[in-house]
Structure formats: C-alpha cells, structure tokens
Amino acid sequence: MAAVTIKSVRKVFGPVEVLHSVNVDIADGEFVILVGPSGCGKTTLLRMIAGLEDISDGEILIDGRRVNDIPPKARDVAMVFQNYALYPHMTVSQNMSFALRLAHANAAEITARVTKAAQILGLETLLERFPRQLSGGQRQRVAMGRALVRDPQVFLFDEPLSNLDAKLRMQMRAEIKELQQRLKTTTVYVTHDQIEAMTMADKIVIMRSGHVEQLGSPLALYDRPENLFVAGFLGSPAMNFISGTVADGAVVSASGMRWPLPAALAAAKGMAPGRRVVYGVRPEHLRLGDNGFSARVLVVEPTGSETQVLLDLGGEKLTAAFRERIPVGVGEALPVDIDTASVHVFDPETEKRISPAA
Amino acid sequence: MSKAPLRIAVAIAWLAALLNFFPLAWMLLASFKTEVQAIASPPLFFFLPTLDNYRGIFAQQDYASFALNSIVISLATTLLMLLLAVPAAFAMAFYPGAKTRDLLLWMLSTKMLPAVGVLVPIYLLARDLHLLDTLAALVIVNTLSNLPIAIWMLFTFFRETPKDIIEASRIDGANVLQTIFLVLLPLVLPGIASTSLLSIILCWNEAFWSLNLSAHNAAPLTAFIASFSAPQGLFWARLSAASVLAIAPILVFGWISQRQLVRGLTFGAVK
Ligand SMILES: Nc1ncnc2c1ncn2[C@@H]1O[C@H](COP(=O)(O)OP(=O)(O)OP(=O)(O)O)[C@@H](O)[C@H]1O
Ligand SMILES: [Mg+2]
C-alpha cells in the first residue's frame, strides 16, 4: 500500500499537449476515481502511473519514491484493462499466476494466492478454462484476479466495467468497492460514468481536456461544484441551468421570472444587481409545494422509484425528480417549490461558482 | 458475379495453373528419356522410361553433399533471420515511432533492386573476409536478402495481437525477452511458421548468390543443377533429372505445408 502523488504532470504527444500540469494527491489506501468526458486524458494519466507512458514533465511519486524513470515492473502496480487483456493461451490459473511465476515465487505460495483470489472472486470452478471459454463477466473477474494475486502497492483500473451489461456492472461495482475497502489497497480507477464515480470513490478527480476541473469527495463535489462543467457533469438527471440577471435578491430570467436565492448568496461579492449569472438547480431540489410556482408539465417519466418530469417553469425547461408518484398528465399545471438553500450560481464568463463570502 | 464471367475466371485460373505446371511436367518426362529422345522433334510423349540419367548423375556428382548444403543453408538462414526479424518486428509493431512506416517501406524497397546490382561489393566483401565458398557467406547473404520480407510478414502478424496484452505482461513484471517468448510467440506461432516456411523455400531456390559465391564446398542444389548445364554441351535429359532431384525435396515440403503457407501469404488477412 502506498500514497501516490502526481505533481505538475504534463503529457505531450508530438505537438499536442494532452495533459496540462495535473496535480493529484492520493492518500494511502484511498479509492480515487478519474472521471471526465471521452478524450480528456484519463487513460493517459493512468498509463503514466503504470509506467506505460513517459512523463513529459512533472513527476509521479509512489510511496514517496519518484517513479518517472522506473519501469512498470519495478513500480509494483497492477492494472486491469478495459478489454481485460487476458493472455489467450493461458488458463485462468496461469493468467492469475503469471506475475508470481515471473517473480519466482515458490509453488506453494503461488497456489495459495491463486486459490485465495479465486475464492474471493468466485472463480474456483473456472481455473482450468481458457479465456475464450469464459463469459465477459467471468473474464472481467479473471482480470481482477490477476491484479489481486499480486497484492500490489496500487491497483489501476481503466474502465473495467464498461463492457458489461447494466446489471452485472452494478454488481461488480459493489464488489470492487467492497473488495477495496477490505484490502485497503490504494486504487486509481478510470471511468466516464459519473454514477460509478459517485458511488465508488473516496475521492473524485473530474477532468476535462487535460485539466483537473475539481477534486474532492463525491458529495462535496456534488454539493459544491466549483464550476459549470462539474455542476453539469455530476448528477443524473443533470442540473438545470437558467441564464439570468441579478436583481434585488433573486435572479431574473428572460421571461421575468424571479428565481429565489438564499440571503447569504444574494449578498455575496459578485452578485451586484444587473450582473449576468447562470442559476443552477438540481432536479431533486424542485419540490411539490403550494406556496411556490406553477409549472406546466411537458413530459412525465416514471422510473419506478421516482418520477422525472420535464417542466416549463417561467419559460425555461427544467427537469424535476420527485420521490413521490404524481398523477399528472402532460399539459397540466403542477405547483412546485425551489429548495432555495440548495441552488447554485455561476459566472457565465469564467464559468466559476459564485459563493457567499466565508 | 453472374455465371459467364465466373466461368471465364475459372478458365483463366486453370490456364495459369497449366502453364505453370507444364515446364515441370516436361522436365519430369525428359528426365526419364534418353538424350536422343529428349531432343526429338516432334516431342515424344510415349516412350520406354529409363533411369539411366539418374544413375549417371549419382555416379558423376555427390548429390548428398549438395543436398546437405541446401538443408544447412535453408535452416541456418531461417534461424538467423528469425533471431533478427522477431525483435525488429516486435519493436515496430508495439513501439512504433514516427518513422516506423517509412522504415518498413524502405526495407521492402531494397527488394525491388536487382541482386546483381550489389554483386561486386558483396563478392569483394566475401573475398576479403575469406568467406567465398563457405556456407556462412550464403547464410549471411540469404538472411540479409530475406530479412525485409520476414520483418514485414512478422510485423503484420504481431500487429494482430492486442497491444494491451503486451502491456499487461510488462506490468506483470516480464522483461522484453519474457514478453516475446512467453506471451507473444505462443500467440503468433502460425505467423512464425509461415514466415519460416517461406524463408526455407526462398533459400532452397536461391540460385544467384549460390552460383556466384560458392564453388564446391558450399554449393547447394541450385548449383548442382547448374553443374549439369556444363561445358561438355547440353544434355537435356540429364539436366532434367538433376533438376528433378534438386526441387523434389522442396516440392514435397511445400506440398505438406501448403495450408500453412497460404495462410501466411495472405498476410494475416484471414484469421
Ligand atoms: N499514443 C497517442 N498518440 C497521440 N495522441 C494520443 C495518444 N494516446 C492518446 N492520445 C490523445 O490524448 C488524448 C487523451 O486520450 P486518453 O485516451 O487519455 O483519453 P480518455 O480520457 O481515456 O478517453 P476515453 O474516455 O475515450 O477513454 C486524446 O485526445 C487522444 O487522442
Ligand atoms: Mg480511456
């Protein structure tokens, strides 16, 4: 187990800079998820930790040791690839024991470790099979097993669940998280699925075009997104954004609708009257309530556990997520309240969050 | 394709096959004729076959030593070539640089030149290194001349192996040799086999360098054939018999391995 420090790391491919001075501190035993849209550089960063890509600038430390010039085999990291990358000509047990055999571990030790990993992952009956004789989910487990038997300092995962169906993905999500909590091995996990990120991570690193946009605990990021990108990225359905202008304690949108603000935020620096802002409210912060606004229902989407409704509120289209089942039809009016304490305001130019003075 | 063009295509294929086969058949027939029958015009198709040519050849030349040279040259060349081509193709397939493609094309382009273009320098080099008429000279020259094709073929095969697998083995702690021997080679064995087969066949049939760089000690079967087109005048029947003896082993070999060869020569297109 080890801490991983990523210091001002840059990556260039020829003339293209794909990572711009990335800084991330990963504590010993922490489960960190790198998340962001396709092409933002998640895989590249992970591969740099693994030693599969050169570090163009900056440094990476594993357990306090600078690893820039240390080859993958000497970094004591294990990686699970998106397409599993199992050795097709080796059985499951040979796949899992490959690293140990290379390290000349003794036979008893190898058997013990493979057996243990197979037990943890439910692979006992598959040990003599070849990868081609396994289902996608089983292959995924073997790939995990291969990492597990090594008992490395750091686990690296690159979208390990993206090739699985939805149900299996949920199951594996829980299993990986449970396993990591048990083993307490420092883990860096790449995904572009924000639900995976929210549910599994101790710490999320949100990336966009080679920059870290924000990092922190899932709920901290969810509750206090530092900018429009993070606000829109986390949460499903996504946060509603409304452009408007600040006018005495509220944000006024094009139709003249007044969007309420908490007093502290209304008094914040940067909330001068007439200032253009983006007002953000999450779907679950729209509630049914009689003392609020009257919205018109455009679309109703019951998911079973909640009801998602697309509303027309003051000329804006908003998604609301209600815990209760509501018997409304399209075109009907629905009285809604905004949970004022939970709204967000952003500067449309800098895209940064505007907060009350501390 | 509609019927008529298909038939024409099949007919052309047959014609090509017959045209290819005809000289071989002719040679085989001639090898069982007397010298007089062999030059008869119109040609004889029905005659009493004789083994005299073969007897004469074995009496006149040491077939076995030529054959042994051919075998040694083919196998040694193929081994040496694999030793060089596998790491080269490995680097090109899995760690390509900006110029890898150009390099491959450049290597291949050396095969577009006529060998005779470098006859003088190679001859002089061989002479100065005291390698004339040695197996080593032929092994080295054959290796160099087959290397571009071998690297190209292996490169194509290697690239069908997902890079992730190679990287996984690196992370698992394998060094380059372990990655090549324990992970890559077992996966690309058919490709290695095809490349080796092709190399053996090319070496066996190589005549230009054999004739120019060997005299007696290192002469392979292609030189054996040539020794019968010698100064005493032309002996068609005997020359034919010598040719049959020279190509018979490789024909049999090619026949046995033809499936593997076809697979390899389609350059990994069919998996
Ligand atoms: N070997 C390479 N040569 C040149 N550019 C590359 C190379 N590898 C990645 N890139 C570029 O670097 C950027 C980041 O790629 P990366 O694979 O890290 O993205 P990602 O965040 O993992 O995306 P995804 O979610 O699609 O996997 C992309 O713009 C990609 O085109
Ligand atoms: Mg990726």
Side-chain angles (χ1 to χ4, degrees), chain A residues 47 50-52 71-73 77-79 81-90 95 98-100 102 104 146 150, chain B residues 94-95 161-176 178-179 181-188:
Chain A
R47 290 168 55 84
L52 296 173
K73 58 182 281 191
V77 299
M79 182 155 167
F81 292 80
Q82 180 171 358
N83 56 16
Y84 318 140
L86 300 178
Y87 309 122
H89 58 299
M90 297 185 201
N95 260 283
F98 187 62
L100 298 178
L102 287 174
H104 303 292
R146 194 166 62 177
R150 293 197 27 209
Chain B
F94 298 112
Y95 302 98
T161 304
K163 192 177 180 197
D164 284 355
I165 292 180
I166 302 299
E167 289 178 337
S169 81
R170 276 182 79 194
I171 292 187
D172 268 346
N175 60 33
V176 172
Q178 288 168 324
T179 297
F181 279 100
L182 301 178
V183 177
L184 180 63
L185 289 191
L187 294 176
V188 296

Side-chain angles (χ1 to χ4, degrees), chain A residues 42-43 82 158-159 190:
Chain A
K42 310 177 292 288
T43 298
Q82 180 171 358
D158 192 0
E159 308 204 25
V190 164

Side-chain angles (χ1 to χ4, degrees), chain A residues 13 18 37-44 159 192:
Chain A
F13 285 115
V18 300
S38 190
C40 69
K42 310 177 292 288
T43 298
T44 304
E159 308 204 25
H192 58 247

